Amino acid sequence: MGKLKDFAILSKETSNDTLTYNASTGEVLSSTDEALLMATKKQVLRLLRPHDFVLINGIYEAKRDGLIKILSSLPISYEWRLTKTDVRDTYSKIEGTLTVNVGDLIRSSSGLGICEISELRGGGGLHFCTARAETRALKRAIEVLFGSVINYFVLNHLEAKVA
């Protein structure tokens, strides 16, 4: 497995710690936070498998099961909180916030999921429509929080095999 490189780093010494600035995302991390984040990302890479992804319209998408594996198999705590629910006769729209704690490091991301009744094969009803919308919202929030690792896996383990 190659070395995980996901951002350009600028560092600045403070009294007892080094602060790291991620030029791509604007994150400012202490060296302790950065070590925890990198260790977590390496664990994610060990968890992911090619069958955790599906190729849709030429783009690899992480499957729900692969993303849930990330949340349930890492030494992290997380909270998924629904912030807005809009259920109508023809669609369900769900918004939620995922907060992940790794030690003292806390990261959160919002996700939005929409499902139309017409997408469901064989009916299914509002329950399935709402469940699918919530799954999509959670999936998007996970992809934001773990996107650099997911992208690294796709580029180095899936697309590298195709090329």
Side-chain angles (χ1 to χ4, degrees):
M1 190 175 296
K3 202 171 191 181
L4 180 62
K5 294 183 244 172
D6 65 343
F7 52 80
I9 297 175
L10 302 172
S11 294
K12 179 181 180 184
E13 287 288 329
T14 61
S15 56
N16 296 324
D17 206 355
T18 302
L19 293 180
T20 302
Y21 174 75
N22 176 332
S24 327
T25 65
E27 286 181 305
V28 177
L29 302 170
S30 71
S31 57
T32 307
D33 290 345
E34 184 180 1
L36 274 171
L37 193 59
M38 294 306 282
T40 302
K41 287 180 177 186
K42 287 177 184 176
Q43 287 177 309
V44 171
L45 282 175
R46 286 193 288 271
L47 286 172
L48 293 175
R49 298 288 176 259
H51 65 268
D52 291 327
F53 295 84
V54 63
L55 190 60
I56 300 173
N57 297 325
I59 298 171
Y60 283 99
E61 288 278 337
K63 294 180 186 175
R64 178 187 180 275
D65 291 344
L67 295 172
I68 297 299
K69 181 177 15 175
I70 290 172
L71 289 181
S72 63
S73 300
L74 292 174
I76 62 176
S77 61
Y78 68 91
E79 176 186 16
W80 172 242
R81 181 177 300 199
L82 297 183
T83 56
K84 195 172 189 182
T85 303
D86 183 10
V87 179
R88 305 286 173 104
D89 290 342
T90 57
Y91 72 89
S92 289
K93 178 177 150 185
I94 304 290
E95 294 180 52
T97 300
L98 176 65
T99 303
V100 174
N101 298 28
V102 182
D104 291 332
L105 182 64
I106 300 172
R107 293 281 182 253
S108 64
S109 174
S110 296
L112 169 68
I114 299 172
C115 179
E116 296 178 3
I117 289 282
S118 61
E119 292 179 51
L120 302 176
R121 296 184 189 133
L126 285 176
H127 168 76
F128 292 107
C129 187
T130 303
R132 184 174 288 178
E134 183 178 350
T135 296
R136 288 175 177 170
L138 177 58
K139 180 178 178 284
R140 287 182 178 113
I142 295 169
E143 287 174 335
V144 168
L145 290 176
F146 293 95
S148 63
V149 182
I150 292 167
N151 291 339
Y152 180 88
F153 186 86
V154 167
L155 289 172
N156 292 281
H157 298 278
L158 298 176
E159 290 182 354
K161 290 181 180 180
V162 175

